[in-house]
Amino acid sequence: MSGKVFLAESAGFCYGVKRAVELAQKTAEETGGCWMLGDLIHNSHVVEDLARRGIRKTEDPGSLGKGDTVVIRSHGEVKNVLDDLEARGVRCVNATCPNVCRIQKLVAQAEQDGRQPIIIGEPHHPEVVGVASWCRHALVFDGPEAVKMWLEKDTSHRQIPVTVVAQTTCIRKLFESSWEILKKECTNVKIFDTICNATHKRQTEAAAIAGKVDVMVVVGDRKSANTKHLTEICQKRCSRVLQIESADELSAEVFKDCGAAGLTAGASTPAGIIKEVYASMSEEIKAAEGMDESFEELLNQSFKTLNTGEKVTGIVTAITPTEVQVDVGAKQAAYIKLSELTDDPTAKAEDIVHVGDEIETYIVRVNDVEGYAELSKKRLDAVKVWENIEQAVEDKTVLEGTVTEENKGGIVVSVKGVRVFVPASQSGQPRGADLSSMIKQKVQLRITEVNRARRRVVGSIRSVTEEARKAAQEAVWSTIEVGKHYTGTVKSMTSYGVFVDIGGVDGMVHISELSWSRIKTPSEVCKVGDTLDVYVISFDAEKHKISLGVKDRTLNPWDVFMNKYSVGDVASVRIVKLMTFGAFAEVVPGVDGLIHISQIADRRIDKPEDVLSEGQIVDAKITAVDEEKKKISLSIRALLTPTAEAEAAEDAE
């Protein structure tokens, strides 16, 4: 088996990538030159070749105009970008992989059916970003741990019907472990296995080859997600895995003592590059076999000297249940005990590091006699965290952490494993608030005090929130204008109106501006915490006062009344005010009519309240309308007493 190179049958272009490249080339020939929005595929060599064929690249959709032709990349594009391009007359040739198009349709249909779309994949990958844009709100998780955090954050999530899809190049194990959690914890789950068949075949084949060779080479662009996943899969089966973009990166040293080598390539890698790498590997393996012993002597001379207490960087070569073996370029065999890898007693080594990872550690002990060096990642991490914390004080850096507990006088926030005490006055919560409600919440804070010797760190959430609020206020005051609409939140209420937060600034909505109907208190139409669509009536930037309105000024109540009623019509009205001479009744919101005391009953009454009460709904006849003065006369009596004509008719009978 010496010198043999095993080439994966499925290496190279998949159907979707091949289709995209051919479609782009054909479009360029037909148009004499066209555009691609970003990289058509994740391979710089292919993109450069396309450029030579007249397919220019742009990252800015706005730079394209009517008459331009653009080829949409195989990963797909954000929906509103596509819509905008078409609206501006740009011809779009859609080279999106059919498998990706299917996922786009699945998430759109899920939302239409009232389901929560969930995508398992890399949140920032162009394919995932594009797919997520085909619905209003998709959730993206990069694996089972993120799914667990989402479910633990709010148990109500478990009742939501969900539809689960995967990025086409997602590692199958990640997808399956993610949907198994969702299926177990949620009551209504639909799962669509959208991992590309070619991807699954390529990953399975790569794993099989990696398990029987000494060196595994993965070819593909470093921006390619599926190439990265291939590398990760191979690293679990082979101790020496090399990810390259071209044959230039190979050398004979890579294949030293190599009995057999394996070769696979990502979905965006052209056949020409694969062929070149295959030929180069064969030559380099032969060269490695011909190396003389002087190479070993030179290698021994290059070994570094290890000293206790120093930092050292190495490559993870093997992982066992109790330790991680590391090549640090020294004669000694170096290893990290699991207890020196992490503080988490439940963590597994393979969840923290992988074979082939570069790792920076602290040298705990060197035993030259027995030929080993004991390392610690945990101690170095702790030193780095404290250095970062101390630097954060000087730089006033905003850090993120999770609230872990409430104690006397405040809360504790975990920032990269360091306990940060936040006094209640700096928690950003009102005085006397229940701080236990903040536990498990992610918060942003600044470090205000560090005492490394006493391991004491103090922080402030309030300084960050106040700064954000101040910035929001400045943004409001710099753009505010009469008539501008805001979506605000009711912060407090008085007898004469409500105060609404429109983004860090409070505005006043007078009770008369809350509704066209007559109301006695604001609580009749809203409550604290409600969201209101408000607009600016007036403002005083110097005094920082804003007058807001809620009533729709385009809807004139008098016009509504005139379109709906005429003299002689009967209306169901609400009694809004009782006077000595009669009662006012609301005919439509914002328009009242007068029922004179003589028109309230079919008999003489001393005062209106003998018959009516405020809030009562009664039927009344519209007897007169003064359009100029916008006054309405109503009568209940007209519906109770027969008219003179009716009485005369009855007498005649």
Side-chain angles (χ1 to χ4, degrees):
M1 192 171 73
S2 178
K4 184 173 179 59
V5 178
F6 292 92
L7 174 62
E9 293 181 6
S10 59
F13 276 4
C14 66
Y15 164 75
V17 169
K18 184 179 179 182
R19 171 181 173 272
V21 173
E22 291 177 348
L23 193 55
Q25 292 172 345
K26 181 181 177 183
T27 303
E29 291 174 3
E30 292 174 349
T31 60
C34 60
W35 295 89
M36 55 180 160
L37 193 53
D39 292 341
L40 184 74
I41 65 172
H42 277 166
N43 189 284
S44 57
H45 298 283
V46 176
V47 171
E48 288 168 6
D49 180 66
L50 291 173
R52 287 191 289 270
R53 294 171 182 262
I55 307 170
R56 293 162 292 174
K57 184 175 91 169
T58 179
E59 301 287 350
D60 180 18
S63 65
L64 301 174
K66 189 174 182 180
D68 286 331
T69 297
V70 61
V71 182
I72 303 303
R73 60 190 173 192
S74 60
H75 288 306
E77 186 53 79
V78 177
K79 188 175 186 301
N80 62 2
V81 171
L82 293 175
D83 294 341
D84 178 63
L85 287 171
E86 292 178 358
R88 290 192 285 108
V90 179
R91 180 193 171 206
C92 296
V93 177
N94 198 346
T96 304
C97 172
N99 292 326
V100 176
C101 290
R102 174 175 176 251
I103 307 174
Q104 293 171 346
K105 292 175 182 176
L106 285 172
V107 298
Q109 185 62 49
E111 187 173 75
Q112 187 176 331
D113 294 341
R115 306 179 68 83
Q116 172 62 63
I118 292 179
I119 306 167
I120 306 301
E122 297 180 36
H124 303 298
H125 192 279
E127 176 190 318
V128 176
V129 174
V131 167
S133 71
W134 286 76
C135 61
R136 288 189 299 275
H137 179 58
L139 296 174
V140 181
F141 302 121
D142 58 9
E145 293 304 317
V147 172
K148 287 179 185 176
M149 287 180 63
W150 176 66
L151 291 169
E152 290 171 0
K153 188 175 181 181
D154 186 350
T155 56
S156 65
H157 295 332
R158 302 168 192 262
Q159 308 302 319
I160 302 173
V162 300
T163 292
V164 189
V165 298
Q167 183 180 348
T168 55
T169 57
C170 183
I171 296 176
R172 180 164 293 282
K173 185 178 179 181
L174 284 178
F175 178 55
E176 290 179 349
S177 56
S178 297
W179 68 248
E180 282 173 359
I181 294 171
L182 288 164
K183 195 169 184 180
K184 181 180 178 182
E185 299 294 337
C186 298
T187 57
N188 187 341
V189 182
K190 283 186 179 179
I191 300 164
F192 293 90
D193 186 351
T194 52
I195 296 176
C196 175
N197 289 333
T199 296
H200 179 55
K201 181 181 178 183
R202 185 182 292 105
Q203 292 175 351
T204 303
E205 192 177 14
I209 294 175
K212 62 182 182 181
V213 298
D214 301 305
V215 177
M216 189 71 188
V217 176
V218 183
V219 188
D221 196 287
R222 288 186 171 83
K223 293 183 291 184
S224 167
N226 71 84
T227 303
K228 184 183 75 173
H229 292 160
L230 278 176
T231 302
E232 292 170 351
I233 289 168
C234 291
Q235 286 171 342
K236 294 179 180 179
R237 303 293 301 275
C238 180
S239 61
R240 278 191 282 173
V241 179
L242 183 66
Q243 182 181 329
I244 63 173
E245 293 188 348
S246 67
D248 296 338
E249 297 179 51
L250 294 174
S251 65
E253 286 80 4
V254 173
F255 302 99
K256 176 68 174 174
D257 299 323
C258 173
L263 173 60
T264 187
S268 303
T269 308
I273 291 180
I274 298 172
K275 185 177 180 180
E276 184 180 351
V277 171
Y278 181 87
S280 183
M281 284 177 66
S282 300
E283 292 298 319
E284 296 294 359
I285 289 174
K286 289 179 183 178
E289 289 176 344
M291 285 182 176
D292 56 28
E293 292 301 317
S294 63
F295 176 78
E296 184 175 353
E297 292 174 8
L298 290 171
L299 190 63
N300 285 333
Q301 294 174 14
S302 70
F303 282 145
K304 67 179 71 170
T305 302
L306 301 183
N307 297 302
T308 300
E310 292 182 344
K311 295 178 185 178
V312 64
T313 301
I315 303 295
V316 176
T317 58
I319 299 173
T320 73
T322 58
E323 67 183 34
V324 174
Q325 296 173 17
V326 182
D327 180 1
V328 294
K331 291 182 179 181
Q332 296 89 344
Y335 70 93
I336 308 171
K337 293 179 182 178
L338 186 58
S339 60
E340 290 296 328
L341 188 65
T342 175
D343 275 325
D344 186 353
T346 64
K348 296 180 180 179
E350 57 267 27
D351 295 333
I352 301 171
V353 293
H354 305 91
V355 172
D357 283 356
E358 185 175 86
I359 185 170
E360 191 176 13
T361 63
Y362 176 85
I363 302 174
V364 177
R365 189 157 60 101
V366 179
N367 190 323
D368 290 324
V369 176
E370 297 184 14
Y372 70 83
E374 188 176 334
L375 311 175
S376 174
K377 179 179 183 295
K378 181 177 72 175
R379 299 187 197 185
L380 185 61
D381 288 346
V383 171
K384 282 187 172 182
V385 168
W386 278 100
E387 289 174 352
N388 292 340
I389 291 290
E390 289 174 334
Q391 190 63 41
V393 178
E394 294 182 24
D395 298 343
K396 297 183 179 180
T397 309
V398 176
L399 302 176
E400 186 173 80
T402 302
V403 180
T404 57
E405 63 182 272
E406 177 193 13
N407 64 16
K408 185 178 180 180
I411 56 176
V412 174
V413 180
S414 175
V415 178
K416 297 180 181 179
V418 174
R419 287 167 55 91
V420 180
F421 173 67
V422 178
S425 62
Q426 297 299 314
S427 67
Q429 300 296 310
R431 180 176 293 183
D434 179 15
L435 299 183
S436 63
S437 63
M438 296 181 69
I439 294 175
K440 292 186 178 180
Q441 284 187 14
K442 285 191 178 297
V443 295
Q444 290 188 321
L445 72 166
R446 279 196 178 89
I447 305 301
T448 57
E449 178 187 336
V450 177
N451 188 322
R452 192 166 176 178
R454 295 179 58 193
R455 301 183 70 81
R456 173 180 167 82
V457 185
V458 181
S460 170
I461 298 172
R462 179 181 170 186
S463 67
V464 177
T465 55
E466 285 188 347
E467 184 178 282
R469 185 176 179 83
K470 184 178 179 181
Q473 289 174 341
E474 290 176 354
V476 170
W477 285 113
S478 65
T479 59
I480 194 169
E481 57 186 30
V482 173
K484 186 170 183 177
H485 281 255
Y486 293 93
T487 298
T489 304
V490 178
K491 303 297 289 185
S492 62
M493 305 178 71
T494 68
S495 60
Y496 51 84
V498 299
F499 288 93
V500 178
D501 183 346
I502 58 173
V505 177
D506 289 350
M508 170 69 177
V509 183
H510 192 268
I511 188 170
S512 62
E513 291 295 333
L514 279 170
S515 171
W516 284 111
S517 300
R518 289 196 187 204
I519 57 174
K520 290 185 176 180
T521 64
S523 60
E524 293 180 38
V525 293
C526 63
K527 62 182 183 298
V528 172
D530 279 358
T531 299
L532 294 181
D533 181 17
V534 297
Y535 62 91
V536 179
I537 295 175
S538 63
F539 65 92
D540 187 330
E542 291 185 4
K543 295 182 179 179
H544 280 199
K545 289 185 177 181
I546 304 173
S547 177
L548 302 172
V550 176
K551 295 191 299 190
D552 186 353
R553 294 293 178 184
T554 64
L555 191 65
N556 190 309
W558 183 260
D559 292 339
V560 173
F561 167 76
M562 293 299 294
N563 290 332
K564 188 174 182 179
Y565 294 108
S566 301
V567 173
D569 289 348
V570 176
S572 180
V573 301
R574 179 171 66 92
I575 305 301
V576 294
K577 193 169 186 180
L578 298 174
M579 308 293 288
T580 56
F581 53 83
F584 286 100
E586 182 183 70
V587 185
V588 297
V591 177
D592 295 345
L594 174 64
I595 310 173
H596 192 269
I597 191 169
S598 63
Q599 298 299 314
I600 291 177
D602 55 0
R603 66 187 188 281
R604 181 182 177 81
I605 60 174
D606 293 329
K607 50 187 181 298
E609 51 263 40
D610 290 342
V611 178
L612 301 173
S613 58
E614 289 187 8
Q616 183 180 354
I617 306 296
V618 297
D619 287 340
K621 186 175 183 178
I622 300 171
T623 57
V625 176
D626 186 333
E627 291 189 45
E628 185 178 344
K629 296 181 179 180
K630 295 184 179 180
K631 291 185 177 181
I632 305 168
S633 297
L634 303 171
S635 174
I636 300 173
R637 179 181 177 183
L639 301 177
L640 301 174
T641 305
T643 62
E645 291 81 2
E647 290 177 348
E650 289 176 2
D651 292 341
E653 291 177 2

